[in-house]
Amino acid sequence: MSNNYCRVFSNNEILWATFLIVGAVIPSHATPPSETQTPTDAVTASAFDETAQRPRQDTSAQDNHRLPLKKPTREICMIEEGFLWIDAEDFDNYGGWTLDSQFVHRMGSSYLIAASVGNPVDDATLRLDIPKAGRYQLWVRSKNWLKDYSPGKFTVRIGDTESSHVFGAAESEAWLWQRGGVFELPQGNTSLAIHDLTGYYGRCDALILTTNLRYTPPNERDALCKERARLTGLSLEPTPEGEYDVVVVGAGAAGCCAAIASARMGATTALIQNRPVLGGNASVELGVPICGAGSGQSNARESGIIEEAGRIKARFDYPKMSEPFRLLAEKEKNLTVFLNRHVFSADMNSDRQIGGVKAVDTLTGQITTYRGKQFVDCTGDGWLGYFAGAQYRFGRESREEFAEDLAPATADDITMSGCLMGIRALSYRATNLGKPISYRPPAWAAELPPPDEFGRSPRGFAGGQWWLEHQGELNDLTHPEKARDELLRITYGYWDYIKNYSLHRHSAINYALTYVPITDAKRESRRLVGDYLLTQNDVQEGKIFADRISYGGWPLDVHHARGIYSGKEGPFHCDPRVPLYTIPFRCLYSVNIDNLLFAGRNVSVTHIALGTVRVQGTLAALGQAAGTAAALCAHDKATPRDLQRQRIAEFQQILLKHDQYIPEIRNEDPRDLARSARLTASSTGHHLFFDRKNVRREKLHPLNLSRAVMFPRGVNERLESVSLLLSSDRTEATPITLHVREADASGDFSAEDDVIAVEALVPAQRETWVEFKTACTLDKHFAWVWLPKTAGISWRLMSAAPIGSCRAYGGGKGRVWQVHNGQQYAFATKPSLAIEVDYHVQNITNGTTRGVGNKTNLWASDPKQSMPQWVALRFPEPVQLNTVYLTFDTDMNASHHTAALVPQCVRDYELSYHDRTRWQKLVSVAANFQRRRIHRFAPVTASQLRLTVLATNGSPSARVFEIRAYDE
């Protein structure tokens, strides 16, 4: 013990350290009362998902600018006599430095970075106990991240003495140990500080103080890890974390949905995440919005778990998806979540089967193992598949290989660039200081194309743009830190362009750069190969696969290979719109590893097809499918390929049961007792009414080109006026002409003749409804109106509109209109639209739970009749049941979860059953805002089941898509 100068931890310290190390596990909680209630006890609201009170929030990581990643406190001590090893993470106070753990897989540890905008940050500080007086050599592991400029310089202070060496200025861009000088240190307490000199991303990984003046630490990663363990006492012996039915690696939108789905299927599930929060690109660290098919298609927002999480986000105004995913994960008793664990190895049972994985704690270096039956790779980069030896693809396929006319002529290793993201900013944040602010860029800022070659139009100055991207030859996978650093250079070059060269520089004169995020939100890297690769042609043909498990509808959005340097060629390689297409299950499991599934942007698709599949709403649905499949395979000791070949119809029905929409597949579950019931309702509506009070605002679109909106005519042939929600930046009222045209089908903007053209004035410098006196008669089923390009005027989008509505842009004067389904510009008519629709009660059991085309697939009560309204299911003979599934209307036509409370959604309701003598209450719910509710209770024998709607969140009609009843 003479060489060990550690002091002993107190009991409280041990408990606290243990909590921080393994306390990243999210605890399990019982299922909410409303889903486990016996029929004798009516329930009202679980605090988690039914009341207006905001659920308890985990505030451990809310802001990427000061993300409180903090290593468990470790007493710095001499494990080896004459050596003190200090990880940068060990500092008591990080000051203005930020702990960056996103490159652990490449360099072996996290590090501190001085992330500012040219203003030196406050020192990171630590109190050290020097066990023996003596001469100590200082070694610092640092990096010159751009050797020709050495932007990130810093020194180290011990006591009152500053290091003789300036770090961050080496001749190499590699991580290196450098001598910092010899210090005469007395025994006892002293201070250690990392002192930033530039405010431009200086980096410090670790420090060593040693009395062995001939010692040189290793730079090679594996040797470095062993040396760190030797000098800190960290054991490299793995600690088992248990055996699971399913192990999910990566907790982005896909991984969270996969893990939750697996746990809900009864499989013991581990979710391993290398970040401090859940959500991946959608987390509070990055903040990428959840986009999907609903951004380009009608009634196409993804349902299931991602809808559940999105509704929580909107209802309680969470900034991003970390909290909703955490709250859902906490509810699953079969799910254990491990944060800050990076999987770096796969232990194989054979060449075709994974037995377990190893992970390293990104804060402590502790190694843990996880055994499993089925594994799901949701890492985005396909790391688990790579470690297991799964086949994968990287870069662009040739045009010839899959006959993709959008692919390049020759295959290469180019991938789409990511972009810098943080919860506070896309690329950067700038502030209007109310006075002129000059800007001189650092010498290392990227030189971007000149204004006449720039090829892009900035939208405002407070934040950056998604097209601030590096060239595709720079590899986000093999050189991730270099790729991130290039994005930093591009951001500063862009701000220089805005302030000093762009045509908009005078409008940006008062803006100052205040924040640049340091995390790379990746778009593309490795893609694992399944039994099928989805291609451009599959997508553009809207192919319906027999083994489909989900769908997509985002455009073929492939970014330009040259990134920001593409100039007048623009930011896209291609961006054509596509019809709704399906995704086969064969894209979600490995062609050569028998117990490996995957979801996320590493699924089995070509580079071109990835352009549409890669958005998070689409990937979340794939995650739910993969997690469900993994649980089924683990339970039945089967492979995913067995499931695809032998039980695909059953699997599809299970996904439908859990609210995963699959085009052209209906509920045919033989166990659903509701399918044989006769339905009756208190009333039925026959028309959809739409006017100004139905409009809920979304973002503005400037009339920088012509814009149009289409809507069904309804029962009224006369169109007295059309009102549009317009905004003006101009200093005087502006005349504008509205053109009215007709169409036989939704989306047909081919008509070239006006029914009428009417002029109105748009008031200056405000947003208002502008009424156009059309006074015309419409003969066809659809009408559309359009406005010409008009500087200074914008047209507001709205979140919902009648079935058959859509928008278009860029047409007129011989130009073809570009149609955008799933979005509409804000309009209202006089008389109000009254559209005949099928709201028959039998829709509740027709097997489809969203509007498709002109079919509502919905029961709605008569809006002229007051609440309560009810629907009853009479069974052919009394049945025993213990579970009821309800699906309400949360407006799947809105592309995003923007409305805190969707007016169409049922709010307060009761479930009752008839025991052949009288009605008995099963469940009473208040303040609901979710689309899917599942209620489980003790078995009852019922001749009828009744849902009584007491109130909605604003709609005059009760609206229900589906009721299922089970004895399970």
Side-chain angles (χ1 to χ4, degrees):
M1 296 292 291
S2 60
N3 292 340
N4 188 340
Y5 293 93
C6 289
R7 73 176 174 83
V8 178
F9 284 100
S10 70
N11 288 337
N12 283 340
E13 289 172 320
I14 293 172
L15 288 172
W16 180 239
T18 303
F19 170 76
L20 285 170
I21 295 171
V22 297
V25 179
I26 294 181
S28 299
H29 295 284
T31 308
S34 60
E35 298 184 1
T36 58
Q37 200 65 33
T38 63
T40 54
D41 296 320
V43 304
T44 303
S46 71
F48 162 59
D49 64 353
E50 293 173 345
T51 68
Q53 182 178 0
R54 185 178 174 125
R56 175 179 59 84
Q57 184 168 359
D58 181 359
T59 58
S60 63
Q62 290 301 303
D63 189 341
N64 186 38
H65 185 46
R66 287 290 181 269
L67 184 66
L69 271 171
K70 186 66 177 169
K71 182 175 179 178
T73 301
R74 176 176 74 87
E75 187 74 15
I76 307 302
C77 53
M78 281 189 176
I79 301 296
E80 177 79 17
E81 186 170 7
F83 288 87
L84 286 172
W85 180 292
I86 305 105
D87 278 318
E89 304 96 300
D90 289 326
F91 277 68
D92 300 327
N93 185 344
Y94 292 166
W97 295 70
T98 300
L99 186 62
D100 192 348
S101 64
Q102 63 187 309
F103 309 116
V104 168
H105 61 293
R106 301 301 301 179
M107 59 173 293
S109 60
S110 305
Y111 63 83
L112 288 177
I113 181 169
S116 184
V117 288
N119 303 310
V121 304
D122 292 342
D123 292 356
T125 58
L126 172 68
R127 299 299 299 180
L128 274 178
D129 187 15
I130 304 299
K132 289 184 178 180
R135 299 180 72 226
Y136 286 81
Q137 173 71 58
L138 170 68
W139 287 93
V140 178
R141 188 170 188 245
S142 63
K143 178 185 177 84
N144 180 358
W145 65 271
L146 199 61
K147 68 175 183 175
D148 292 339
Y149 298 95
S150 304
K153 299 174 185 174
F154 65 95
T155 58
V156 173
R157 291 173 177 166
I158 304 178
D160 295 328
T161 305
E162 192 161 4
S163 61
S164 59
H165 187 81
V166 173
F167 303 97
E171 293 300 316
S172 167
E173 291 183 359
W175 280 94
L176 298 171
W177 286 104
Q178 292 183 286
R179 295 177 186 271
V182 177
F183 292 76
E184 289 282 353
L185 299 180
Q187 182 179 0
N189 195 267
T190 191
S191 62
L192 179 66
I194 309 174
H195 179 61
D196 178 33
L197 299 175
T198 66
Y200 281 134
Y201 312 102
R203 292 148 209 215
C204 181
D205 172 46
L207 306 91
I208 296 174
L209 286 170
T210 178
T211 57
N212 183 348
L213 303 186
R214 292 177 295 177
Y215 170 81
T216 300
N219 280 310
E220 193 273 326
R221 189 183 68 172
D222 290 344
L224 174 70
C225 290
K226 291 178 181 178
E227 187 72 345
R228 175 183 276 113
R230 183 177 76 86
L231 296 181
T232 61
L234 173 69
S235 173
L236 295 180
E237 190 67 27
T239 301
E241 287 284 13
E243 297 189 8
Y244 300 87
D245 294 324
V246 176
V247 176
V248 180
V249 182
C256 288
C257 290
I260 292 167
S262 171
R264 289 180 178 180
M265 290 294 295
T268 56
T269 305
L271 176 59
I272 307 173
Q273 166 73 327
N274 63 1
R275 305 301 301 161
V277 291
L278 301 179
N281 276 358
S283 73
V284 293
E285 291 188 282
L286 292 169
V288 180
I290 297 288
C291 297
S295 297
Q297 311 288 340
S298 300
N299 289 304
R301 194 174 73 242
E302 292 75 14
S303 52
I305 295 169
I306 192 62
E307 171 69 7
E308 195 175 342
R311 293 264 62 88
I312 295 169
K313 174 187 175 297
R315 178 65 186 92
F316 299 108
D317 195 28
Y318 289 123
K320 294 298 171 184
M321 296 295 285
S322 294
E323 277 299 298
F325 283 137
R326 184 184 71 85
L327 291 166
L328 289 178
E330 281 188 338
K331 292 177 64 182
E332 300 305 323
K333 59 184 177 62
N334 294 315
L335 176 59
T336 307
V337 178
F338 300 90
L339 299 176
N340 296 315
R341 309 287 177 91
H342 182 83
V343 169
F344 66 90
S345 175
D347 296 329
M348 305 299 291
N349 291 337
S350 69
D351 290 344
R352 297 188 64 90
Q353 186 179 63
I354 305 171
V357 297
K358 287 190 181 75
V360 61
D361 191 301
T362 60
L363 301 182
T364 69
Q366 178 191 24
I367 297 174
T368 49
T369 61
Y370 310 79
R371 302 290 296 176
K373 299 174 184 176
Q374 296 288 325
F375 294 81
V376 188
D377 187 338
C378 296
T379 61
D381 291 330
W383 282 114
L384 175 55
Y386 175 77
F387 296 136
Q391 292 183 25
Y392 70 90
R393 286 180 172 242
F394 188 89
R396 305 191 294 183
E397 289 81 9
S398 70
R399 188 174 305 150
E400 180 182 8
E401 183 172 6
F402 294 102
E404 296 178 310
D405 63 11
L406 295 175
T410 305
D412 55 38
D413 289 337
I414 287 174
T415 58
M416 285 184 280
S417 167
C419 60
L420 294 179
M421 289 288 293
I423 185 60
R424 296 173 58 219
L426 164 60
S427 300
Y428 71 84
R429 177 63 56 192
T431 303
N432 187 335
L433 299 183
K435 61 181 180 180
I437 303 294
S438 62
Y439 180 71
R440 181 179 180 182
W444 45 265
E447 185 176 343
L448 303 186
D452 59 342
E453 296 289 334
F454 194 67
R456 290 155 173 77
S457 179
R459 288 188 176 182
F461 314 112
Q465 312 293 331
W466 60 262
W467 35 254
L468 290 175
E469 300 167 315
H470 60 64
Q471 299 192 69
E473 293 92 344
L474 187 55
N475 193 315
D476 282 340
L477 184 65
T478 58
H479 298 91
E481 191 175 9
K482 184 68 175 177
R484 188 277 306 275
D485 293 345
E486 182 63 16
L487 293 175
L488 291 172
R489 294 184 63 238
I490 287 169
T491 296
Y492 284 91
Y494 177 69
W495 188 242
D496 178 35
Y497 169 82
I498 287 291
K499 291 287 290 185
N500 299 318
Y501 300 102
S502 81
L503 299 176
H504 308 280
R505 60 187 181 276
H506 299 297
S507 299
I509 193 170
N510 290 346
Y511 281 84
L513 188 66
T514 54
Y515 165 66
V516 176
I518 60 171
T519 307
D520 182 359
K522 297 179 185 176
R523 290 188 174 93
E524 180 185 9
S525 55
R526 189 186 286 116
R527 289 168 282 116
L528 301 174
V529 177
D531 275 358
Y532 189 84
L533 266 81
L534 192 74
T535 70
Q536 170 198 334
N537 297 322
D538 296 329
V539 169
Q540 290 188 316
E541 293 168 8
K543 194 165 183 178
I544 303 295
F545 291 94
D547 63 333
R548 59 196 180 277
I549 42 76
S550 189
Y551 63 95
W554 184 264
L556 276 166
D557 173 7
V558 181
H559 294 196
H560 201 290
R562 295 186 60 210
I564 190 65
Y565 301 101
S566 62
K568 289 184 176 180
E569 294 179 31
F572 294 105
H573 168 75
C574 61
D575 188 36
R577 300 201 176 276
V578 300
L580 205 69
Y581 60 88
T582 64
I583 301 172
F585 179 49
R586 286 167 292 161
C587 291
L588 302 190
Y589 62 85
S590 173
V591 69
N592 68 307
I593 304 297
D594 290 338
N595 62 341
L596 175 65
L597 298 106
F598 28 78
R601 56 184 170 82
N602 53 291
V603 295
S604 184
V605 298
T606 65
H607 167 81
I608 294 296
L610 183 66
T612 172
V613 172
R614 65 185 173 81
V615 288
Q616 292 177 98
T618 302
L619 300 179
L622 298 185
Q624 181 167 344
T628 303
L632 289 170
C633 291
H635 180 268
D636 296 336
K637 299 180 179 179
T639 68
R641 187 174 290 109
D642 293 335
L643 183 62
Q644 191 274 333
R645 291 177 176 175
Q646 301 168 16
R647 300 173 56 196
I648 190 64
E650 177 189 353
F651 178 36
Q652 290 167 328
Q653 288 297 314
I654 290 171
L655 291 174
L656 285 185
K657 182 179 179 181
H658 292 279
D659 201 27
Q660 175 111 325
Y661 176 62
I662 308 175
E664 298 186 20
I665 294 183
R666 293 177 176 270
N667 172 22
E668 296 177 350
D669 187 350
R671 298 178 59 211
D672 179 8
L673 302 170
R675 294 178 64 230
S676 63
R678 183 169 65 86
L679 281 74
T680 56
S682 54
S683 69
T684 299
H686 299 286
H687 293 90
L688 170 69
F689 298 96
F690 185 86
D691 56 24
R692 284 191 194 181
K693 70 174 180 291
N694 301 110
V695 172
R696 278 159 182 79
R697 304 181 183 194
E698 287 198 349
K699 61 185 177 181
L700 281 171
H701 279 189
L703 290 178
N704 55 347
L705 38 72
S706 53
R707 300 189 182 276
V709 67
M710 178 174 287
F711 50 88
R713 184 198 68 187
V715 299
N716 300 310
E717 296 180 356
R718 191 72 178 162
L719 184 65
E720 296 297 340
S721 71
V722 176
S723 295
L724 308 180
L725 190 53
L726 302 178
S727 177
S728 174
D729 295 330
R730 301 177 69 153
T731 56
E732 57 185 24
T734 304
I736 193 169
T737 300
L738 177 78
H739 301 261
V740 180
R741 296 181 181 178
E742 292 184 289
D744 289 317
S746 176
D748 178 10
F749 288 85
S750 61
E752 297 182 357
D753 296 326
D754 293 337
V755 175
I756 193 172
V758 185
E759 186 179 278
L761 285 176
V762 182
Q765 296 188 326
R766 63 189 176 100
E767 180 173 289
T768 188
W769 286 98
V770 177
E771 186 175 22
F772 297 83
K773 302 288 188 179
T774 51
C776 63
T777 300
L778 300 174
D779 299 321
K780 297 185 176 181
H781 294 294
F782 290 89
W784 56 284
V785 299
W786 67 277
L787 295 175
K789 177 180 178 180
T790 309
I793 307 298
S794 297
W795 194 351
R796 177 72 65 178
L797 282 172
M798 61 181 176
S799 62
I803 293 173
S805 300
C806 59
R807 71 175 179 91
Y809 58 90
K813 296 183 179 179
R815 296 184 298 271
V816 176
W817 289 93
Q818 302 298 311
V819 182
H820 196 306
N821 292 309
Q823 287 187 357
Q824 308 84 18
Y825 294 113
F827 74 91
T829 64
K830 285 184 181 179
S832 300
L833 292 183
I835 303 162
E836 287 188 284
V837 289
D838 173 19
Y839 285 141
H840 197 277
V841 70
Q842 299 301 327
N843 287 340
I844 284 178
T845 55
N846 76 358
T848 302
T849 57
R850 65 176 63 208
V852 178
N854 292 326
K855 295 184 179 296
T856 67
N857 299 308
L858 174 79
W859 167 70
S861 66
D862 185 348
K864 296 179 181 178
Q865 297 194 30
S866 61
M867 300 294 174
Q869 294 289 313
W870 55 262
V871 57
L873 289 72
R874 181 184 294 274
F875 302 106
E877 57 186 32
V879 299
Q880 180 171 291
L881 57 88
N882 63 6
T883 307
V884 173
Y885 290 66
L886 303 173
T887 305
F888 300 123
D889 183 3
T890 50
D891 187 15
M892 304 307 286
N893 196 47
S895 59
H896 294 82
H897 302 101
T898 53
L901 292 173
V902 179
Q904 299 96 310
C905 184
V906 169
R907 189 188 75 187
D908 307 333
Y909 63 92
E910 293 177 351
L911 271 176
S912 307
Y913 77 100
H914 201 277
D915 64 3
R916 291 185 290 183
T917 302
R918 62 190 178 91
W919 287 100
Q920 303 268 17
K921 186 182 294 185
L922 284 168
V923 172
S924 178
V925 172
N928 173 61
F929 57 89
Q930 288 284 9
R931 166 182 160 88
R932 168 57 65 95
R933 298 302 305 268
I934 304 173
H935 297 287
R936 296 185 173 93
F937 39 82
V940 299
T941 300
S943 60
Q944 294 185 68
L945 178 69
R946 185 173 67 192
L947 170 67
T948 302
V949 177
L950 305 174
T952 70
N953 284 301
S955 171
S957 295
R959 299 165 70 88
V960 181
F961 275 115
E962 184 176 67
I963 300 175
R964 293 184 180 219
Y966 291 90
D967 180 25
E968 56 184 21

